[in-house]
């Protein structure tokens, strides 16, 4: 019996007090899931209260809201309390301050603890892990009411590789329709007229990805998803070179990867610097866990160790299937312009 399976059996026999029998990685993922659920509630609450507290960081398309700030404090403080030896890197540069107890989530998602830990990760120590946090991916779209573009991203890396991730979609099932009944989630998101608002997707390499229905774009269709707010000539040249049947311009790296795994797009093409490690860590895991591939424009794997530069300076190319087809169509002029 694997260590995690034994831990799961002990947990079942003796209850939560035996949770220490689970591996560090699975406990962290289970906690990150609960923290991400809390984050989604904070994101929705800020919108409901009506004051987004918008601040421009570097330019008019690089924004920070009250939700960015509160969610990062919630995620980082909640995980640091439970896992004090973790390295946690968040997008927002926030001054140190006392965190309101209301922002702390100390729960964990028990369903994850029932899953076996992949054997290659069973001996990982807390101090070996780096957590990359984007508290609100798609901030500009959030400020413009394009709420289904928004995600909360918690990625977990080991030895520079993204190995586990959690994505919360606070407005999954959202439509701008007053007749639709939506309620705050207690457990999983459900479809139908009384659909729960929001969902959480999670994955671990070697185990799989959960919380969504995997679907592929119809064979022979080439649908590209790319940036809505950060386009330039390089991005357009690269997208055109893919000879797409359709181009989707949406916000958020997390949102684009979800489009790939749910059959709405064939490839995510972003031939520009701008995307950061906290944008790609969690989504990369979900994609890789179901057989997809995410690299820079040159085909290089992204590195996530704590010393790495935060910018993905050579862009992003990601697909669920047929990666080589899209990689082969990246123009040399684009590659020359983007230095890893």
């Amino acid at each position: 019996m694997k260590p995690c399976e034994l831990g799961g059996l002990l947990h079942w026999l003796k209850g939560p007090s035996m949770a220490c029998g689970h591996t560090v990685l699975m406990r962290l993922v289970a906690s990150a899931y609960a923290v991400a659920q809390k984050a989604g509630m904070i994101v929705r609450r800020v919108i409901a209260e009506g004051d987004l507290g918008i601040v421009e960081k570097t330019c008019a398309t690089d924004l920070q809201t009250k939700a960015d700030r509160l969610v990062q404090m919630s995620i980082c403080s909640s995980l640091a309390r439970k896992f004090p030896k973790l390295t946690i890197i968040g997008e927002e540069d926030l001054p140190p301050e006392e965190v309101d107890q209301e922002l702390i989530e100390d729960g964990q998602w028990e369903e994850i603890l029932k899953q076996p830990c992949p054997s290659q990760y069973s001996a990982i120590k807390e101090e070996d892990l780096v957590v990359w946090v984007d508290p609100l991916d798609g901030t500009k779209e959030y400020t413009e009411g394009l709420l289904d573009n928004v995600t909360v991203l918690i990625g977990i890396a080991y030895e520079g590789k993204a190995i586990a991730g959690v994505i919360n979609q606070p407005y999954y099932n959202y439509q701008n329709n007053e007749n639709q009944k939506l309620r705050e989630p207690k457990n999983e998101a459900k479809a139908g007229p009384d659909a729960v608002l929001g969902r959480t997707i999670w994955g671990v390499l070697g185990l799989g990805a959960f919380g969504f229905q995997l679907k592929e774009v119809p064979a022979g269709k080439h649908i590209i998803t790319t940036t809505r707010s950060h386009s330039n000539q390089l991005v357009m040249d690269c997208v055109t070179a893919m000879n797409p049947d359709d181009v989707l311009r949406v916000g958020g790296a997390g949102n684009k990867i979800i489009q790939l795994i749910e059959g709405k797009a064939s490839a995510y093409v972003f031939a520009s610097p701008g995307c950061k490690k906290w944008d790609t860590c969690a989504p990369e895991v979900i994609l890789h866990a179901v057989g997809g591939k995410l690299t820079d424009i040159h085909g290089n794997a992204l590195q996530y160790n704590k010393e790495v530069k935060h910018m993905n300076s050579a862009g992003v190319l990601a697909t669920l299937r047929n990666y080589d087809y899209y990689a082969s169509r990246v123009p040399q002029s684009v590659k020359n312009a983007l230095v890893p």
Side-chain angles (χ1 to χ4, degrees):
M1 181 178 284
K2 293 178 184 176
C4 283
E5 292 170 340
L6 177 60
L9 177 61
L10 290 171
H11 184 71
W12 179 76
L13 289 172
K14 298 193 176 181
S17 63
M18 290 299 294
C20 58
H22 298 289
T23 62
V24 168
L25 179 63
M26 297 309 283
R27 286 194 297 113
L28 177 56
V29 176
S31 295
Y33 187 106
V35 169
Q37 295 267 63
K38 173 100 167 183
M41 292 175 68
I42 295 169
V43 170
R44 290 188 294 269
R45 189 181 73 208
V46 170
I47 281 275
E49 290 173 351
D51 178 15
L52 297 187
I54 300 168
V55 175
E56 275 191 24
K57 292 196 287 186
T58 60
C59 63
T61 59
D62 186 15
L63 305 177
Q64 182 194 87
T65 69
K66 182 179 178 182
D68 293 86
R69 298 185 287 274
L70 291 177
V71 168
Q72 180 159 309
M73 285 190 283
S74 175
I75 294 173
C76 295
S77 298
S78 298
L79 294 180
R81 285 192 186 193
K82 217 175 219 185
F83 304 93
K85 296 178 183 177
L86 281 182
T87 297
I88 305 175
I89 303 172
E91 176 178 7
E92 307 306 336
D93 187 13
L94 301 176
E97 61 178 278
E98 191 66 30
V99 176
D100 191 322
Q101 186 62 33
E102 192 180 282
L103 294 175
I104 302 299
E105 173 58 63
D106 59 6
Q108 57 191 8
W109 192 246
E110 296 296 329
E111 292 301 311
I112 292 174
L113 295 177
K114 295 175 184 176
Q115 299 286 339
C117 181
S119 57
Q120 65 268 38
Y121 304 137
S122 61
I124 288 178
K125 297 175 183 173
E126 204 173 291
E127 55 267 36
D128 298 333
L129 294 169
V130 181
V131 178
W132 293 88
V133 176
D134 189 339
L136 191 64
D137 185 38
T139 299
K140 187 168 189 294
E141 285 69 28
Y142 180 67
T143 66
E144 295 173 356
L146 298 170
L147 301 178
D148 49 357
N149 286 213
V150 172
T151 58
V152 175
L153 306 174
I154 305 175
I156 300 166
Y158 172 64
E159 295 183 342
K161 183 178 180 181
I163 64 164
V166 177
I167 301 176
N168 179 270
Q169 269 187 300
Y171 290 97
Y172 176 71
N173 280 328
Y174 167 82
Q175 291 178 356
N176 191 16
N177 180 348
E178 292 179 356
N179 296 322
Q180 187 175 22
K181 299 176 184 175
L182 291 167
R183 51 196 173 84
E184 282 290 337
K186 291 183 180 177
N187 295 306
E188 299 287 343
K190 298 175 182 176
D194 293 314
V196 173
L197 183 56
R199 68 171 169 179
T200 302
I201 292 168
W202 68 279
V204 177
L205 293 191
L207 180 62
F210 309 90
F212 64 96
Q213 191 68 45
L214 184 66
K215 189 177 177 184
E216 297 183 25
V217 169
K221 277 277 189 185
H222 301 292
I223 303 172
I224 305 301
T225 184
T226 191
T227 183
R228 173 181 172 269
S229 305
H230 305 282
S231 195
N232 57 37
Q233 194 59 50
L234 270 185
V235 171
M236 292 189 288
D237 288 348
C238 198
V239 168
T240 301
M242 301 295 155
N243 193 25
D245 296 302
D246 196 9
V247 178
L248 310 177
R249 290 180 173 83
V250 299
N255 182 38
K256 295 180 186 75
I257 296 302
I258 290 170
Q259 288 185 319
L260 297 184
I261 62 176
E262 294 195 321
K264 294 174 183 172
S266 325
Y268 166 24
V269 179
F270 184 56
S272 177
C275 205
K276 310 285 201 318
K277 296 296 186 295
W278 43 73
D279 294 309
T280 52
C281 188
E284 175 180 319
V285 173
I286 304 302
L287 185 62
H288 285 185
V290 294
K293 188 170 181 177
L294 184 150
T295 67
D296 70 13
I297 284 296
H298 299 270
N300 301 314
L302 302 184
Q303 297 297 310
Y304 295 97
N305 55 69
K306 62 186 175 185
E307 297 88 7
V308 77
K309 65 180 180 180
H310 296 167
M311 180 77 75
N312 293 323
S313 54
V316 174
L317 176 64
T319 70
L320 177 60
R321 303 285 180 259
N322 304 317
Y323 173 87
D324 291 344
Y325 169 85
Y326 296 98
S328 70
R329 301 185 76 91
V330 176
Q332 190 60 45
S333 57
V334 169
K335 292 182 178 180
N336 294 345
L338 295 173
V339 180

